[in-house]
Amino acid sequence: MKKLLCFLTVIMCSCTVRKPHENTSVAENYAKESRLYSIYPQLSPPYPQDTLNMYVIAHNGTKAYTKDLKERGRCFPFMQELRVITVSDSLVSVINNTDNNSYVKRKTLGYELNIVLTKTELNKPYSHIDNTTDSLLTTSDCGKTGGIDEPFNPDDYPDMEVDTITKLEFLKLEKSAVSDFKINNAVKKVNGTITIAGVEFKDNKGEGDLPNTYDYLGEYKAMQAYVILLTCEACEQYYYMVISKKTGQELYTSVDFPYFSKDGKTVISVGQLFSDQPTIVNYSRWSDNSWQLYADKEFSTWSPVGNGFWGKDNYFYTAAIPSATREHYNNSSELRNRNGFNFRYLKIKIKGKTRKFRDE
């Protein structure tokens, strides 16, 4: 299973495998879009390279019309990204991967900043049509606007529940975060090799002569364990290996960074595959001398960007963005900071055991 996520700093900021500064900042692009929107109210092909891209912000999607306002029997789903060609007072001409002759009502589109993730949206299970950028819907209730939020029933989500908090709340909770993980220089790589208790973790070549690289990240002191990141470039995969200081043996391995509770008896990871794939929350407990998967769930509308931590209230907290904007976020190394994007702040409550685990 391919992965494009890694955690490289104290706050475990997510990124994809790409060259630094490969693309311009999304924040800069939004600034360009704002100027473009005011300077070119009537764009028509051939249009500038940085033609305005916007998102469907109506929770039930937006109907597609012809220029004379006849319905086309199609619907663009919530959060789908559309490229704007022309703009009028009430209609916007748009194109996407499957449709190049549609108009939508202007009020149904907005920027990343305008995407509202309600509690219902946050807890929405992953489904392919919600995340496929070239999808079209034909639902009868398409086009309803105004940030409609379906009634939230906690009983529909017996294993996990996700909700938002404010940035101020998040930063305050972060200061008192419960964590035993420390970044330090306790282990050093010598000639491409990390050695722990006599066990060597040596950089090597994988498929296609692409490198497999080991990096030391830090340690969980109470667990007497080090955390090593194995990067497999051929498989575009990352493995976080928790290694015993005493024996050099693997205690736990995860494809996303493992956030252990302070007593080391529970662990959670929150990650995503490619930008159009689900966000996966995996929670395990130590029981009968082994790690037992307790809760495991896929979410569709939000993507984690790191900054995760356990709170004293046993909630797990993380920063996130709408899933539709993940690719833009990944494409800008300059954007991956708290001042460059409109982060949402989430708390995840583990309520009970998942009844049926997903297939790997």
Side-chain angles (χ1 to χ4, degrees):
M1 191 182 295
K2 295 185 177 180
K3 296 287 294 183
L4 290 178
L5 296 178
C6 62
F7 295 80
L8 299 178
T9 64
V10 176
I11 59 173
M12 304 303 170
C13 181
S14 302
C15 64
T16 54
V17 179
R18 62 183 76 253
K19 297 178 181 179
H21 310 296
E22 182 178 1
N23 296 284
T24 59
S25 163
V26 176
E28 292 175 2
N29 286 341
Y30 282 146
K32 289 179 183 178
E33 290 172 357
S34 297
R35 291 194 297 271
L36 183 67
Y37 197 78
S38 60
I39 296 173
Y40 301 103
Q42 290 289 342
L43 295 174
S44 60
Y47 41 81
Q49 186 175 359
D50 55 351
T51 298
L52 179 64
N53 280 30
M54 300 182 77
Y55 300 93
V56 176
I57 60 174
H59 284 257
N60 289 294
T62 183
K63 289 181 180 179
Y65 298 90
T66 62
K67 192 173 183 178
D68 56 358
L69 276 181
K70 292 182 179 179
E71 293 186 14
R72 302 193 63 204
R74 298 178 179 178
C75 174
F76 296 109
F78 173 59
M79 285 205 301
Q80 181 162 340
E81 184 177 7
L82 299 173
R83 174 173 288 183
V84 173
I85 300 176
T86 61
V87 181
S88 67
D89 289 339
S90 60
L91 290 179
V92 177
S93 174
V94 298
I95 61 173
N96 75 337
N97 294 344
T98 61
D99 193 300
N100 59 3
N101 294 302
S102 287
Y103 289 77
V104 299
K105 292 185 178 180
R106 184 171 176 176
K107 64 182 179 180
T108 64
L109 298 187
Y111 297 104
E112 184 275 338
L113 297 172
N114 305 122
I115 297 174
V116 176
L117 295 178
T118 65
K119 193 167 185 178
T120 297
E121 295 290 354
L122 289 171
N123 285 277
K124 193 173 187 180
Y126 174 77
S127 60
H128 185 66
I129 197 162
D130 290 325
N131 296 274
T132 304
T133 56
D134 61 358
S135 62
L136 291 171
L137 301 179
T138 57
T139 54
S140 60
D141 62 345
C142 175
K144 296 178 181 178
T145 61
I148 297 174
D149 187 3
E150 299 173 11
F152 176 77
N153 182 3
D155 293 337
D156 293 338
Y157 310 95
D159 49 357
M160 299 184 194
E161 183 178 317
V162 184
D163 204 356
T164 56
I165 61 172
T166 67
K167 179 178 180 179
L168 185 61
E169 289 174 316
F170 183 88
L171 295 177
K172 184 177 180 181
L173 288 163
E174 190 177 35
K175 291 180 180 179
S176 59
V178 178
S179 177
D180 183 51
F181 183 73
K182 304 295 180 185
I183 289 187
N184 53 35
N185 296 315
V187 176
K188 297 184 183 300
K189 181 186 285 190
V190 179
N191 296 326
T193 302
I194 292 174
T195 303
I196 301 174
V199 179
E200 292 186 344
F201 301 87
K202 188 173 184 178
D203 295 348
N204 56 71
K205 294 292 182 66
E207 183 180 348
D209 258 0
L210 293 173
N212 295 320
T213 307
Y214 292 92
D215 291 291
Y216 172 72
L217 300 183
E219 66 176 303
Y220 278 105
K221 290 190 173 183
M223 296 176 62
Q224 292 289 295
Y226 296 124
V227 180
I228 293 176
L229 173 66
L230 169 59
T231 303
C232 171
E233 291 200 14
C235 54
E236 295 180 320
Q237 185 84 23
Y238 302 92
Y239 299 93
Y240 294 87
M241 306 164 62
V242 182
I243 309 297
S244 169
K245 292 183 184 181
K246 296 180 179 180
T247 67
Q249 300 303 306
E250 291 183 31
L251 302 177
Y252 189 86
T253 301
S254 174
V255 294
D256 296 299
F257 185 83
Y259 294 92
F260 287 87
S261 57
K262 195 162 186 177
D263 61 8
K265 294 183 179 180
T266 61
V267 60
I268 193 170
S269 62
V270 183
Q272 187 180 18
L273 307 177
F274 292 109
S275 298
D276 61 349
Q277 295 297 303
T279 290
I280 299 171
V281 178
N282 182 295
Y283 174 81
S284 296
R285 291 176 170 180
W286 180 257
S287 177
D288 297 327
N289 294 317
S290 65
W291 287 103
Q292 303 290 327
L293 182 60
Y294 185 79
D296 181 73
K297 193 166 185 179
E298 296 179 342
F299 295 92
S300 66
T301 58
W302 55 273
S303 299
V305 292
N307 309 340
F309 60 89
W310 282 107
K312 292 181 179 179
D313 53 6
N314 292 322
Y315 285 126
F316 184 78
Y317 295 89
T318 185
I321 55 177
S323 58
T325 67
R326 180 79 202 192
E327 185 174 354
H328 290 303
Y329 178 84
N330 288 341
N331 284 344
S332 176
S333 58
E334 296 178 5
L335 184 63
R336 291 187 288 273
N337 61 74
R338 298 187 176 208
N339 297 320
F341 212 85
N342 181 31
F343 289 119
R344 281 67 165 170
Y345 298 95
L346 309 182
K347 65 177 181 179
I348 302 173
K349 180 181 180 181
I350 305 300
K351 299 169 58 178
K353 188 177 179 64
T354 298
R355 294 168 184 166
K356 183 179 179 181
F357 296 119
R358 62 187 170 84
D359 295 328
E360 291 292 344

